[in-house]
Amino acid sequence: MQSESQIPTASQDVSRRFATRVALFYGTLFGMTGAHLPFFTVWLKAVGIDAFWIGLITAVPAVTRFTALPLVTGLAERRQALRGGIVVTAFATALGFFLLGTQHLPVLVFLVYALTCCLWTPMVPLTDAYALCGVKRYGLNYGPLRLWGSAAFVLGALVCGMLFDLIAAKNLIWIIAGAAALGALASLALPSLDDTRTARPDSGGAGALLRDGGFIAVIVASALIQGSHAAYYIFASIAWQQAGYDGLTIAILWVLGVIAEIVLFALSPRFVLPPWMLVVIAALSAAVRWAVMAQDPPLAVLAIVQLAHALSFGLTQVGIMGLMLRQVPGHVMARGQGYMTACGGIVAGLASVASGTIYESWGQGIYYVMAAMAASGGLVIWLARRRLAHQPHKTASGG
């Protein structure tokens, strides 16, 4: 059988069509995140949910990443149906958020959100696995595809920010649900890549990934660096609101970081440093970012610090995806993404729950803990750098 890297390159029209539709779906996927991430906790507070329950509820996505998520990604891979898995999870997510909007009691919000997250959280690893299969097949770069997700995040955050002062905060959930519905419709336009069933080698299954020290280093580092954003994602908007910033200012602060992230994704095909070094740079940048955030900086400094999101998140994503392309065979990419997201879920879940408690006692001091997490992730990759310098599965550029 041919390996995936030996499949003949498609015409430019097919490649362009794939890139356009994946970019569109990334846009809807992260456009919803742009509405959800800054303002979901504001909605929770608006319907009367206290800080303890906010920390518990916002930990749910992280928990589902190491429980339900690996089952969903594994099922999609075994059935060789990445596209089908994306479509099913997209429609289930939209339905779940519409139902969530009808609930206000903390326990019911927790239960409905938990069920929704069981099918929402697998969408990103399924989409990344699907996109990386296309990167290999069509000779594309991951960064320019992914940047449209970041651009849509900006739009989602701005729309919510502008509506924040025009509608009651308890109605923000309907914007999130509407964005999820758009994503479900966009998933139907994704072209099929499910003929990868002809490209399965006889060895190197998913179990082998968990015996690969290099792969383990990649997913642990990713979990620590990306997990270090937990307190920022949960409490930044609340802290800024309490500091007296209006909804549009809060949205602009989020948007500044994502605009910088978009620029980084656009420039990523030009990066010449090895992926492991990109991750180390990203980890150190994240540690510095959180150390500054712990000082509760004024608005002008905060705006500058927000630009570091391009490094703490964007550069981490580019470096990690570059390592995944080189460490993980295409036929187990979905489960590789699932394992990575599951590991991230464990770390982010613990960080989210801890953040709720630590924030009440230390306030902005929680960012010192986040800085230590990010630095630890950089150390893991640094120690594994020699192993990661040999990339047996490299078939295309991922950056």
Side-chain angles (χ1 to χ4, degrees), residues 43-389:
W43 174 74
L44 290 174
K45 185 179 179 182
V47 297
I49 296 175
D50 62 28
F52 170 79
W53 275 102
I54 289 175
L56 193 61
I57 291 168
T58 53
V60 167
V63 173
T64 60
R65 290 185 189 114
F66 61 86
T67 53
L69 184 150
L71 298 177
V72 175
T73 55
L75 178 63
E77 187 174 86
R78 286 192 297 273
R79 292 182 176 272
Q80 301 159 26
L82 289 178
R83 179 188 178 276
I86 292 170
V87 171
V88 169
T89 55
F91 275 89
T93 296
L95 178 62
F97 273 104
F98 275 106
L99 181 59
L100 185 65
T102 66
Q103 309 302 315
H104 292 162
L105 294 177
V107 173
L108 293 179
V109 170
F110 176 84
L111 292 175
V112 174
Y113 191 58
L115 290 174
T116 302
C117 288
C118 286
L119 290 174
W120 176 35
T121 55
M123 286 176 64
V124 171
L126 285 173
T127 305
D128 281 338
Y130 175 86
L132 290 182
C133 285
V135 165
K136 289 185 176 182
R137 179 171 300 185
Y138 301 125
L140 301 170
N141 287 284
Y142 173 80
L145 296 177
R146 178 61 176 75
L147 72 83
W148 293 103
S150 299
F153 181 98
V154 171
L155 181 61
L158 282 175
V159 168
C160 263
M162 289 184 290
L163 293 176
F164 183 86
D165 298 315
L166 301 178
I167 66 174
K170 65 182 180 180
N171 290 324
L172 290 171
I173 191 67
W174 303 118
I175 302 174
I176 299 170
L182 290 177
L185 295 176
S187 71
L188 297 174
L190 293 173
S192 177
L193 284 179
D194 295 336
D195 58 349
T196 54
R197 68 187 65 195
T198 63
R200 290 177 174 270
D202 296 328
S203 61
L209 290 176
L210 299 179
R211 298 189 296 271
D212 181 350
F215 175 74
I216 296 299
V218 170
I219 65 175
V220 169
S222 176
L224 288 169
I225 302 170
Q226 301 292 35
S228 75
H229 292 70
Y232 168 66
Y233 291 154
I234 296 172
F235 291 109
S237 292
I238 292 175
W240 295 338
Q241 185 184 34
Q242 291 174 342
Y245 303 139
D246 60 24
L248 185 57
T249 300
I250 293 172
I252 290 172
L253 286 172
W254 283 89
V255 165
L256 282 174
V258 183
I259 288 175
E261 175 188 318
I262 292 170
V263 173
L264 184 137
F265 280 139
L267 296 176
S268 63
R270 302 181 183 181
F271 295 169
V272 296
L273 295 176
W276 69 263
M277 190 174 292
L278 296 179
V279 176
V280 170
I281 293 171
L284 295 176
S285 300
V288 172
R289 180 188 184 190
W290 304 139
V292 175
M293 287 284 286
Q295 311 305 314
D296 196 11
L299 182 60
V301 175
L302 187 59
I304 296 172
V305 171
Q306 282 297 94
L307 298 178
H309 193 70
L311 300 176
S312 68
F313 175 83
L315 191 61
T316 300
Q317 185 76 359
V318 170
I320 291 294
M321 288 301 165
L323 291 172
M324 291 290 285
L325 272 169
R326 293 156 172 78
Q327 290 292 132
V328 182
H331 70 287
V332 290
M333 185 62 76
R335 266 182 279 189
Q337 291 285 339
Y339 292 150
M340 181 174 69
T341 309
C343 182
I346 295 172
V347 174
L350 293 173
S352 295
V353 172
S355 293
T357 302
I358 298 173
Y359 183 80
E360 286 192 336
S361 301
W362 291 3
Q364 296 294 90
I366 182 61
Y367 286 113
Y368 288 123
V369 180
M370 301 296 106
M373 286 178 59
S376 298
L379 180 61
V380 168
I381 287 294
W382 174 260
L383 294 176
R385 65 191 184 281
R386 292 184 180 177
R387 183 186 295 270
L388 297 173

